[in-house]
Amino acid sequence: MSDIGYPIIEKIKYDSQAATNLEDAIDGDKLKRKLLIEYPTVYVICSPIKSGGFKVYVGETNDIERRTEQHLNEDPKVRDDWRELSHAKDAEMFVIGHDHFNKSLTLDIENQMMLFMLGVPNVKHLNNRRENEQNEYYTSDEKDKIFSRIWRKLRGFNQDLFPVERIIRDSAIFKASPFHNLTTEQKNARDLIIDRVIDALLSKKTGQLILVEGEAGSGKTVLLSTIFYLISTLKDDGSPLRQGFDNLKNYVLVNHDEQLKVYEDIINKLNLNYKNDDVVSKPTHFINTHDESDPADVVLVDEAHLLWTQGKQAYRGKNQLDDILKRARITVAIFDRNQILKTEEYLEPQQIQTIEEKAMEQNNLIMLSNQLRIHANKQTIEWIRDITDKKIIKKIPRDSTYDLRMFDDAKEMYDAIREKALGDQKSGLSRILATFDWKYNSKRKPEDGDYWMVTAGDLSLPWNLQLKQKGRSLKKLAWAEQPQTIDEVGSTYTIQGFDLNYCGVIIGPSVKYRNGHVVFDPDASENTNVIRNRTLQDGKKRKVASQLLPNELNVLLTRGVNGLYIYAVDDELRNILLRSQ
């Protein structure tokens, strides 16, 4: 690729004289006039909020002067957000030009800017209401390099509004954003789901189930986030086919505290909670506050494998998915049978088959097969899966793209992960995880110390969520994003649904190696959610740990994007892993 050059960016005061302010900034410069007035541009309007942070609008246009006049004079008549911006005292506008800009590229840069601004901690409200991902075009391969140069130049104006890229890319909200470029597989699934949703809404269908299945790292959460955004922005355009679409009752449900925070943040920043309703909640809350006689329009369930299949606490039903289906016209459920972790989530094979058959009857079963999280070759991914799927350990394949290492010393592994997290700017978010083989009680301290500890060899660290957060704002962040958690060990319950750049996994004594195979020992596990009895459909109580413990290890081994480090407590397992290198 030839050198793409650098962007031209002008910062102007956003007020009734904005067009004049831009002309003054150009000040007869022919190149600036060409790129900022005559060419397509991308622009960012930002306004400080009294309580802290910024309100931001991102857009693109072929005529910046006309578009600015429209924002100032016409849009405030019909939209509250533009009315507020037009009266803001300290609002600023960044106009971005580049000599390679064309309509498709500016739409893509606008979408990328939305993706990044959503991940900026100081951006509290983000307005646009469009999703402009483009297909291939002449200069599409230049987008990422041009965007990085734009972002770095914007940092020169305001580092609070435009922090370093790594901070944004490491955030959970960035990774779950609805503005990511989707793969062909995800696009096909998105289009199919949106078509099915619109058809069901128009034909007044109820009890519809769209089931999306895929393994860890197959892009399920980004797909669901995108679908919710698109459904939430469906509008009544005056045609008979869109009547009543302005006030759809849509919800996102997830039975996971950390993931719940992410969806709440996305919906609050994008102002999708305009009904002042519990748009995001746990399934039990939704079930208890909604009646079958007045079903919601669309309910999206992330991590549907975490839904309860028996009564528990405030939930008095028998199956949360069944109860959600009764309270929704359309339910979109994201599901991975290999991430069921607790006895109260357990599904017998026949139950899973029944769910799939229900979706298939409505032609609504979608399978995602691509691995999008782990940046490794096919052989490396198979090596990881073989441990839990086939219970075997083969020779580690050569892979120049993925850092897969076995350790003989847990402390050395921790030091390597800590160095990645704190010393290597490119590695970013890296943490230590472990199988749930050490005692932990979130409601009380242990009798012999301040923390419940994970001890492996010479390493001893507190279990997750025990070290105090240094700042109120950190409570909104997922466990792995909080800085103090580099000195903790995470569990499946804090890391499920998220990824790490580098992941160090301590495989505890519940996983052993005997007679050429990996074996799982429930007696060595401290995970009461796994090892207790489960009442099955025939009324008998049985242990299901042999199915759940491999799922626990599967979740842990599939978190690392760029690298996976492993230390095993069991001597035989550790030795075979070391010999596999």
Side-chain angles (χ1 to χ4, degrees):
M1 183 194 302
S2 59
D3 185 66
I4 58 170
Y6 288 85
I8 287 179
I9 302 176
E10 284 294 338
K11 183 183 78 168
I12 61 173
K13 185 174 177 59
Y14 181 75
D15 57 16
S16 60
Q17 301 299 312
T20 302
N21 296 339
L22 181 59
E23 287 285 355
D24 291 342
I26 291 173
D27 192 27
D29 187 312
K30 291 183 179 180
L31 180 60
K32 286 185 179 181
R33 172 165 292 279
K34 175 183 175 183
L35 299 186
L36 299 181
I37 302 293
E38 299 171 8
Y39 270 36
T41 54
V42 176
Y43 58 95
V44 178
I45 302 172
C46 62
S47 174
I49 300 173
K50 287 183 179 180
S51 58
F54 299 89
K55 180 178 293 186
V56 173
Y57 181 91
V58 177
E60 65 80 39
T61 181
N62 289 335
D63 188 337
I64 187 64
E65 292 181 312
R66 184 186 63 81
R67 188 75 176 120
T68 302
E69 292 290 342
Q70 181 181 359
H71 284 328
L72 285 165
N73 300 316
E74 300 300 324
D75 291 340
K77 297 176 182 178
V78 294
R79 280 179 51 174
D80 292 339
D81 49 358
W82 281 113
R83 191 176 305 114
E84 292 175 8
L85 271 176
S86 66
H87 292 103
K89 292 182 178 180
D90 300 318
E92 295 177 329
M93 183 175 184
F94 299 90
V95 184
I96 305 161
H98 195 285
D99 62 2
H100 285 210
F101 271 2
N102 54 54
K103 186 64 174 179
S104 293
L105 184 54
T106 55
L107 285 168
D108 252 359
I109 294 290
E110 175 194 31
N111 204 63
Q112 187 87 336
M113 188 66 72
M114 288 286 289
L115 171 65
F116 269 63
M117 296 308 286
L118 186 64
V120 174
N122 281 321
V123 173
K124 306 304 180 184
H125 299 289
L126 180 61
N127 294 318
N128 180 289
R129 310 292 173 82
R130 291 188 299 172
E131 193 262 348
N132 287 321
E133 177 193 352
Q134 301 296 294
N135 293 320
E136 290 294 312
Y137 51 90
Y138 177 60
T139 54
S140 61
D141 60 340
E142 297 180 353
K143 181 196 72 174
D144 290 338
K145 191 172 183 180
I146 289 176
F147 182 83
S148 285
R149 290 186 175 183
I150 289 171
W151 192 264
R152 286 198 295 271
K153 193 161 186 177
L154 287 169
R155 273 184 51 74
F157 290 100
N158 189 328
Q159 294 187 10
D160 291 331
L161 185 58
F162 305 101
V164 294
E165 288 187 45
R166 184 180 66 80
I167 291 175
I168 298 171
R169 291 184 183 278
D170 279 349
S171 68
I173 191 173
F174 176 88
K175 293 171 181 177
S177 169
F179 301 111
H180 280 286
N181 288 343
L182 303 182
T183 64
T184 300
E185 183 179 61
Q186 288 173 312
K187 288 178 183 177
N188 292 337
R190 174 200 63 192
D191 294 344
L192 178 62
I193 293 169
I194 294 296
D195 287 346
R196 292 283 191 273
V197 167
I198 291 175
D199 175 69
L201 291 172
L202 293 174
S203 58
K204 309 297 182 183
K205 293 178 182 177
T206 59
Q208 298 293 295
L209 172 63
I210 301 174
L211 187 67
V212 182
E213 290 195 52
E215 294 186 355
S218 57
K220 302 184 296 297
T221 293
V222 167
L223 174 63
L224 182 131
S225 174
T226 301
I227 291 166
F228 180 77
Y229 179 75
L230 292 176
I231 292 172
S232 297
T233 53
L234 279 175
K235 292 294 179 183
D236 185 341
D237 58 8
S239 70
L241 296 180
R242 290 292 178 91
Q243 290 180 1
F245 275 26
D246 278 347
N247 297 301
L248 294 177
K249 295 183 291 183
N250 310 318
Y251 299 88
V252 174
L253 309 180
V254 61
N255 228 356
H256 190 289
D257 291 336
E258 302 295 306
Q259 199 70 19
L260 197 67
K261 296 177 186 177
V262 175
Y263 282 118
E264 287 174 341
D265 210 6
I266 289 175
I267 283 166
N268 288 333
K269 284 193 175 190
L270 295 178
N271 196 32
L272 299 179
N273 194 14
Y274 48 85
K275 298 185 292 290
N276 294 317
D277 199 355
D278 293 324
V279 173
V280 180
S281 72
K282 287 191 173 181
T284 297
H285 176 80
F286 174 82
I287 293 167
N288 290 342
T289 55
H290 288 78
D291 194 86
E292 295 178 31
S293 62
D294 183 26
D297 291 307
V298 185
V299 174
L300 298 103
V301 186
D302 197 9
E303 312 271 5
H305 37 271
L306 303 183
L307 292 174
W308 295 342
T309 54
Q310 65 180 26
K312 180 184 177 185
Q313 297 172 346
Y315 176 62
R316 300 304 178 205
K318 295 181 179 179
N319 186 298
Q320 288 187 325
L321 180 58
D322 289 344
D323 287 337
I324 292 168
L325 286 168
K326 294 173 185 176
R327 291 163 172 79
R329 296 169 65 185
I330 309 115
T331 300
V332 181
I334 306 294
F335 181 76
D336 178 5
R337 69 185 69 198
N338 294 322
Q339 292 196 63
I340 296 173
L341 298 179
K342 301 179 181 179
T343 54
E344 61 260 29
E345 303 159 3
Y346 181 73
L347 287 164
E348 297 173 50
Q350 182 58 46
Q351 290 176 293
I352 295 176
Q353 184 178 340
T354 299
I355 295 170
E356 291 177 333
E357 288 174 351
K358 179 177 178 61
M360 290 174 65
E361 287 170 4
Q362 302 168 345
N363 200 24
N364 287 340
L365 179 62
I366 298 171
M367 307 296 291
L368 299 179
S369 58
N370 291 340
Q371 173 53 246
L372 305 179
R373 175 182 293 142
I374 301 174
H375 294 168
N377 62 32
K378 182 179 179 181
Q379 292 74 25
T380 298
I381 293 170
E382 287 180 354
W383 184 90
I384 295 170
R385 286 176 175 164
D386 281 345
I387 295 176
T388 53
D389 295 353
K390 298 180 180 179
K391 314 296 190 296
I392 59 174
I393 296 174
K394 298 185 295 189
K395 194 75 175 175
I396 294 177
R398 291 189 176 184
D399 190 342
S400 60
T401 63
Y402 196 72
D403 187 5
L404 179 58
R405 284 193 244 170
M406 308 299 121
F407 282 77
D408 193 29
D409 185 307
K411 191 174 186 308
E412 284 184 14
M413 182 178 77
Y414 168 66
D415 290 341
I417 289 293
R418 187 178 175 84
E419 182 179 354
K420 290 291 184 184
L422 303 178
D424 187 339
Q425 293 295 311
K426 293 181 180 180
S427 300
L429 204 62
S430 303
R431 292 294 184 269
I432 290 283
L433 311 173
T435 53
F436 215 113
D437 294 344
W438 290 265
K439 292 183 182 296
Y440 177 70
N441 189 321
S442 61
K443 296 180 180 179
R444 62 179 177 83
K445 291 184 177 182
E447 296 178 358
D448 56 352
D450 291 330
Y451 304 117
W452 299 98
M453 304 296 287
V454 174
T455 301
D458 294 329
L459 179 68
S460 186
L461 292 173
W463 262 125
N464 43 214
L465 302 172
Q466 294 187 88
L467 297 182
K468 289 184 178 181
Q469 300 158 331
K470 299 176 181 178
R472 186 176 299 176
S473 62
L474 294 178
K475 293 182 179 180
K476 296 181 179 180
L477 298 178
W479 172 80
E481 291 182 86
Q482 298 175 26
Q484 80 280 359
T485 61
I486 186 60
D487 296 318
E488 290 185 329
V489 178
S491 72
T492 50
Y493 303 125
T494 46
I495 204 64
Q496 188 175 34
F498 298 92
D499 59 48
L500 298 164
N501 289 336
Y502 284 81
C503 174
V505 177
I506 300 172
I507 302 179
S510 68
V511 188
K512 297 175 168 60
Y513 191 77
R514 300 291 185 269
N515 302 317
H517 285 83
V518 176
V519 295
F520 293 87
D521 180 6
D523 292 334
S525 173
E526 293 291 342
N527 193 345
T528 56
N529 293 314
V530 168
I531 59 179
R532 61 192 171 202
N533 286 329
R534 164 70 197 229
T535 303
L536 302 183
Q537 286 186 297
D538 60 10
K540 296 180 179 178
K541 293 182 182 294
R542 295 178 188 169
K543 301 284 187 184
V544 293
S546 60
Q547 291 100 305
L548 299 182
L549 285 175
N551 289 355
E552 178 186 43
L553 185 57
N554 169 61
V555 168
L556 299 178
L557 296 181
T558 54
R559 298 304 103 188
V561 173
N562 299 316
L564 169 65
Y565 300 167
I566 299 176
Y567 171 84
V569 170
D570 179 71
D571 291 339
E572 290 187 46
L573 179 58
R574 185 170 65 257
N575 289 335
I576 190 65
L577 287 170
L578 291 168
R579 290 202 302 271
S580 69
Q581 296 186 105

